[in-house]
Amino acid sequence: MSKIDTNRPFLPVRIAVMTVSDSRTLETDTSGAALVARVEAAGHTVAARTIVSDDADLIAAQLSAWIADPLVDVVITNGGTGVTGRDVTPEAFERVMEKRIEGFGELFRMLSYQKIGTSTIQSRAVAGVAGGTYLFALPGSTGAVKDGWDDILVFQLDSRHRPCNFVELMPRLREGLKETSHHD
């Protein structure tokens, strides 16, 4: 069973938060605010926060910018993971991801099923890795953001979580990636 090993050091990570919405502002973004509050309460740093409209090109561009930023370890988005025509967050993730973390969406939907039943089938929550940065896409409801953080990410982004966690893998995420040299 999983647990927090208090003998291990807590290593804070730098997390960028993106809300995907055509209608929210920083003042009305309750899901983004809930995520920021949880990230900070867990002892991590909010490296950046923004709102991007439901446009795959804009979402992918912001993801790419944060992937390239050495001060961002993790990106968590909320919104745009449904099945309507404007829901394009998973498609934007597909453009930038090098590896998918299949279990994230599977686990999110399993846990969500316990709370909202079969309605969870409409969620296309996804996760992956690109350029040594973790990427997680959560649905846009405040409840879904809380569930994704409280039931999965708070543990996997805690370096003390046993038997394993995403933080301990961070130094090895870039293994095997082609490094581009600016000295050519």
Side-chain angles (χ1 to χ4, degrees):
M1 194 66 190
S2 66
K3 65 177 180 167
I4 298 296
D5 181 351
T6 56
N7 293 319
R8 295 173 61 96
F10 175 78
L11 302 173
V13 295
R14 299 164 297 205
I15 301 173
V17 174
M18 179 195 313
T19 296
V20 178
S21 174
D22 287 332
S23 59
R24 294 184 193 171
T25 65
L26 285 177
E27 293 75 33
T28 62
D29 180 22
T30 55
S31 297
L35 186 52
V36 164
R38 281 168 160 68
V39 165
E40 291 174 340
H44 300 295
T45 301
V46 175
R49 179 180 178 195
T50 193
I51 298 176
V52 176
S53 65
D54 293 282
D55 178 299
D57 292 336
L58 296 175
I59 297 165
Q62 183 61 69
L63 290 171
S64 293
W66 281 341
I67 291 164
D69 186 340
L71 298 180
V72 174
D73 301 313
V74 176
V75 176
I76 306 173
T77 68
N78 70 91
T81 62
V83 297
T84 72
R86 298 291 295 157
D87 293 321
V88 295
T89 302
E91 288 76 13
F93 269 55
E94 288 296 332
R95 293 183 189 181
V96 301
M97 283 191 300
E98 294 159 359
K99 292 187 178 184
R100 294 178 60 98
I101 303 172
E102 301 290 349
F104 177 76
E106 296 164 355
L107 181 57
F108 176 82
R109 284 180 286 279
M110 183 195 81
L111 295 167
S112 180
Y113 178 78
Q114 298 168 8
K115 298 174 183 180
I116 64 169
T118 61
S119 296
T120 192
I121 202 167
Q122 295 183 25
S123 165
R124 297 186 303 138
V126 297
V129 179
T133 303
Y134 285 114
L135 309 171
F136 301 97
L138 294 168
S141 74
T142 303
V145 166
K146 290 177 180 178
D147 292 345
W149 180 266
D150 296 349
D151 296 343
I152 304 171
L153 293 175
V154 72
F155 301 110
Q156 281 300 300
L157 295 177
D158 189 325
S159 56
R160 303 166 301 169
H161 185 262
R162 308 301 324 135
C164 57
N165 60 75
F166 286 137
V167 178
E168 64 193 356
L169 299 176
M170 290 173 98
R172 298 179 52 209
L173 289 180
R174 297 186 58 83
E175 288 177 351
L177 296 181
K178 292 183 196 171
E179 294 295 326
T180 55
S181 172
H182 299 286
H183 304 289
D184 293 74

